[in-house]
Amino acid sequence: TMASTIENLKEEVLKLIETPLKEEGCEVAELVIATYRKSATVRAYVYCQGGTNVARCAHLSHVIGTALDGTDLFDGGYTLEVSSPGLERPLQKAVDFKYRLGETVSIEFAEHKRPATRAKIVAVEENEIIFENETGPFTESLNNIERAKIVY
């Protein structure tokens, strides 16, 4: 099916670009691939240490393009768009929290009986996030967090 092809493509692309991005001090937040007829659009949302600005995105675009151009993944050609994840994008994976340390977020829990709560992101472990609110620090497993949104 088309969907599984896209998933495979995403995995291949991630494998190719992970290391070059790491060397730049960056990580992929999300990769979106859309195909239309023969051509593809590759959208990479990237976090970088020290933030991601327009110049950095242009440079990363070159880095990613170089990694992809050496392959035959996109026979019909592709368009590449690199940007930083917007502040309104929900935080769902460890990498999302890692690059938002110190931000205050509104946390929605997977267990819907629990009311949403606001807290500051203090630290990120592999599968756990340490938050702090007026009652003090608390730890949540990533599985318990449906999503968190940055509070402006």
Side-chain angles (χ1 to χ4, degrees):
T1 65
M2 197 66 200
S4 68
T5 317
I6 294 272
E7 279 310 307
N8 294 346
L9 198 53
K10 265 169 72 165
E11 273 173 42
E12 292 294 320
V13 170
L14 282 170
K15 267 187 226 148
L16 284 167
I17 69 177
E18 244 161 4
T19 306
L21 284 178
K22 231 174 211 133
E23 286 165 5
E24 299 287 336
C26 305
E27 285 181 74
V28 177
E30 191 178 357
L31 188 69
V32 180
I33 299 177
T35 54
Y36 177 70
R37 298 207 172 122
K38 290 260 177 259
S39 72
T41 302
V42 179
R43 284 191 193 91
Y45 296 93
V46 180
Y47 287 119
C48 294
Q49 285 154 21
T52 315
N53 58 21
V54 174
R56 199 151 189 191
C57 285
H59 173 67
L60 293 176
S61 192
H62 179 72
V63 169
I64 294 172
T66 304
L68 296 183
D69 288 345
T71 72
D72 53 5
L73 288 178
F74 300 99
D75 295 340
Y78 67 94
T79 309
L80 177 61
E81 295 168 15
V82 180
S83 59
S84 67
L87 287 177
E88 53 294 321
R89 182 175 171 274
L91 313 184
Q92 289 172 309
K93 298 185 289 211
V95 66
D96 296 325
F97 289 93
K98 179 175 151 186
Y99 286 91
R100 301 289 192 226
L101 286 175
E103 296 278 5
T104 297
V105 290
S106 166
I107 308 158
E108 290 173 30
F109 297 101
E111 200 182 314
H112 291 293
K113 289 194 288 287
R114 284 180 74 179
T117 187
R118 277 187 178 200
K120 192 167 122 181
I121 304 167
V122 181
V124 179
E125 308 286 322
E126 189 103 345
N127 291 308
E128 291 184 329
I129 315 293
I130 299 160
F131 296 101
E132 190 169 355
N133 60 15
E134 54 286 347
T135 60
F138 62 98
T139 302
E140 286 295 336
S141 139
L142 263 179
N143 301 337
N144 292 342
I145 302 168
E146 179 127 323
R147 61 196 190 142
K149 287 200 139 183
I150 292 172
V151 178
Y152 302 104

